[in-house]
Amino acid sequence: MSPNGSDRSSRRPMRRKLPQVLAAGLVLATATGCTYKDFPRLGMPTPVTDEAPRILSLWQGSWAAALATGVLVWGLIIWSVIFHRRSRTKVEVPAQTRYNMPIEALYTIVPFIIIAVLFYFTARDESAILKTSKKPDHVVNVVGFQWSWAFNYLEDVDGDKSSSNSNINSSALSAIPDKWKKSVPAGADGVYDVGTPGQRNPQTGNPGPTLWLPKGETVQFLLTSRDVIHSFWVVPFLMKQDVIPGRTNVFEVTPNKEGTFMGKCAELCGVDHSRMLFNVKVVSPERYREHLKDLAKKGQTGYLPSGIKQTDHARNAETKNQ
């Protein structure tokens, strides 16, 4: 058989498989259960806080930049395959180009520009997302521990702002630096809730304890750990932050949609990491205050231990020889 005949026969199976591959790709694209309204979010859930749309915009912009770069690279590859194929040029080995300075400068400068642009938007949005206020409407200390979560509501539950904030300075909250305690509302006596891996939300049946938040009011989270590194991730918040022993991480959100949403630990923290689930229930401010009073009636007043006390920055322990 001639070489040309052999090439034609080897291409036939590929042509037969091409419709199958395209059909499989179409099934994967349409069988995900997503509607046309979901596609603009590119896999992200619907945002439920005032801050989340900024994160979604950064996600969409990154995908747009990646798609533009991919189209350019794919186009150059296809162009090279078509216009430099051997059957077209009849040349066994095409002319080799070396040390083309304009091209080398191009593929050095262009990636640098792309990285610089992505870095600018990422740094800008990160600064805005992690910005905290001196007097938020509410402060919640989220405590991660193996293998569940505790929530210290640093709140003025009884409504008496003239009462002492002595609970804030208790040993239970010694892991939180004083600079973050200044944002706690006046007269905060506090209540707490704590969960177990086997606990379930009574409305949804989802596993884990439930953190209650008020709609339309700013909530500042003080994240602390009692043992190892965890990660506090409420999925529709579109962000997560590490919960580190000996350190207090802080961020704020303003929930804008009522409902019960899933949360989880996003840091591999041990054998039962997959069971460190929780729920976030966003309700009206009135219903939120009622929940805090319900916790107080149950005797869950004060605070649970927040974690390992924060240490100073590491210093060089070596001594100089005199």
Side-chain angles (χ1 to χ4, degrees):
M1 184 179 290
S2 65
N4 292 336
S6 177
D7 290 343
R8 284 195 296 271
S9 62
S10 64
R11 286 197 293 266
R12 284 172 190 155
M14 294 300 297
R15 290 176 180 174
R16 294 194 197 103
K17 292 179 180 179
L18 184 59
Q20 300 174 4
V21 173
L22 293 176
L26 182 62
V27 169
L28 289 174
T30 57
T32 58
C34 297
T35 66
Y36 72 95
K37 295 181 180 180
D38 297 322
F39 283 112
R41 296 198 305 273
L42 301 172
M44 283 285 197
T46 303
V48 298
T49 68
D50 289 350
E51 295 77 13
R54 179 183 288 271
I55 302 173
L56 179 61
S57 177
L58 179 63
W59 172 258
Q60 292 168 324
S62 299
W63 267 102
L67 180 61
T69 304
V71 168
L72 175 62
V73 173
W74 297 330
L76 291 174
I77 292 174
I78 294 172
W79 179 82
S80 299
V81 170
I82 293 175
F83 288 95
H84 293 284
R85 66 187 187 277
R86 187 174 64 180
S87 61
R88 178 177 179 273
T89 61
K90 309 300 182 183
V91 176
E92 185 71 22
V93 179
Q96 304 297 301
T97 302
R98 297 172 182 164
Y99 307 111
N100 189 308
M101 293 305 296
I103 293 179
E104 292 185 14
L106 180 66
Y107 66 62
T108 300
I109 294 174
V110 170
F112 178 81
I113 294 175
I114 294 173
I115 293 172
V117 172
L118 291 174
F119 176 83
Y120 166 76
F121 285 106
T122 302
R124 182 199 66 178
D125 291 346
E126 181 181 6
S127 298
I129 293 166
L130 296 181
K131 187 177 180 180
T132 57
S133 55
K134 293 183 178 180
K135 288 297 180 181
D137 298 322
H138 307 277
V139 180
V140 179
N141 171 215
V142 177
V143 185
F145 60 91
Q146 296 171 320
W147 311 95
S148 193
W149 302 87
F151 309 115
N152 288 322
Y153 297 91
L154 282 61
E155 297 277 2
D156 176 22
V157 180
D158 59 11
D160 183 7
K161 295 187 179 301
S162 63
S163 60
S164 173
N165 273 23
S166 58
N167 285 346
I168 299 299
N169 299 318
S170 68
S171 59
L173 301 181
S174 60
I176 301 175
D178 291 338
K179 68 175 181 178
W180 296 118
K181 294 177 182 178
K182 294 179 180 178
S183 60
V184 176
D189 37 8
V191 291
Y192 69 86
D193 199 2
V194 62
T196 62
Q199 190 173 345
R200 296 263 174 185
N201 181 278
Q203 283 78 37
T204 64
N206 293 331
T210 300
L211 168 65
W212 289 56
L213 299 177
K215 176 185 175 182
E217 297 183 353
T218 303
V219 180
Q220 185 175 105
F221 295 108
L222 308 179
L223 308 179
T224 56
S225 171
R226 293 185 192 168
D227 35 52
V228 298
I229 297 178
H230 303 282
S231 185
F232 181 71
W233 180 25
V234 183
V235 178
F237 284 8
L238 308 190
M239 70 169 293
K240 56 181 178 285
Q241 197 168 63
D242 283 349
V243 184
I244 303 174
R247 178 182 175 85
T248 301
N249 282 339
V250 182
F251 74 97
E252 288 182 9
V253 297
T254 304
N256 56 22
K257 182 179 180 181
E258 293 189 15
T260 302
F261 312 103
M262 293 185 64
K264 59 184 70 177
C265 175
E267 183 79 26
L268 182 59
C269 55
V271 64
D272 279 340
H273 157 71
S274 62
R275 302 185 67 195
M276 280 198 65
L277 306 174
F278 64 97
N279 304 277
V280 172
K281 185 171 184 176
V282 180
V283 296
S284 65
E286 295 77 17
R287 183 69 186 91
Y288 173 74
R289 286 191 286 270
E290 289 178 9
H291 175 68
L292 298 184
K293 292 179 181 179
D294 290 340
L295 292 177
K297 291 177 182 178
K298 294 178 182 179
Q300 297 173 215
T301 56
Y303 306 108
L304 293 176
S306 57
I308 300 172
K309 188 174 181 179
Q310 183 163 325
T311 59
D312 294 333
H313 296 294
R315 294 182 175 86
N316 190 344
E318 296 180 3
T319 57
K320 295 182 179 180
N321 295 325
Q322 300 295 333

